Amino acid sequence: QLYLAESGGDSVQAGGALRLTCEVSGYHYMSYCLAWFRQAPGKEREGVAGLYTAGERPYYSDSVKGRFTISEDNAKRTLYLQMNNLKAEDTAMYYCAAIPFGGYSDYNCLTVDFHYWGQGTQVTVSS
């Protein structure tokens, strides 16, 4: 069992930056898929950044590529999402997700069916 808790959401002006944090607790596994998703009112949930802890590189959606960076601190069991050059269309509830996982090193974790989710943190960007 894993437990996830997000923080760092806020209201910012367009062009600003935020860093979201997701603390992971519970059982320790060898490796994980970790990801950030978002959902705006009236829209489907979107995977924006995924990271395989034993992998080579993260994956990003086209909508955030070049602006967002996903990273993790294994010792602190914490996942981050650095969001730069924020746009009004980035406004959404942001969720972190995790699942124990073992696969090939270049696996795209945005394609995984995640079992564990946080409660979400709200990001609002005003133009």
Side-chain angles (χ1 to χ4, degrees):
Q1 182 76 16
L2 295 175
Y3 304 91
L4 309 178
E6 304 97 334
S7 60
D10 205 344
S11 297
V12 297
Q13 295 284 327
L18 283 174
R19 188 176 80 158
L20 304 184
T21 297
C22 174
E23 296 181 359
V24 181
S25 59
Y27 192 80
H28 284 260
Y29 296 90
M30 286 289 291
S31 58
Y32 304 82
C33 266
L34 303 170
W36 288 96
F37 288 76
R38 67 185 182 186
Q39 188 165 22
K43 294 189 176 181
E44 292 188 356
R45 187 173 62 196
E46 174 191 18
V48 297
L51 175 69
Y52 175 34
T53 59
E56 296 178 347
R57 63 182 181 97
Y59 283 82
Y60 299 94
S61 66
D62 289 342
S63 60
V64 307
K65 197 173 297 180
R67 300 187 297 122
F68 290 12
T69 303
I70 187 173
S71 62
E72 57 111 14
D73 184 327
N74 186 51
K76 295 182 179 180
R77 302 190 77 192
T78 301
L79 180 70
Y80 302 99
L81 184 68
Q82 178 66 43
M83 306 185 295
N84 297 329
N85 190 22
L86 283 161
K87 304 176 181 180
E89 52 263 41
D90 295 319
T91 296
M93 186 72 79
Y94 283 72
Y95 301 90
C96 64
I99 188 170
F101 185 81
Y104 57 90
S105 61
D106 199 31
Y107 196 87
N108 181 358
C109 282
L110 287 177
T111 65
V112 167
D113 184 15
F114 287 90
H115 289 181
Y116 302 103
W117 296 82
Q119 81 289 350
T121 187
Q122 178 68 37
V123 172
T124 303
V125 185
S126 56
S127 57

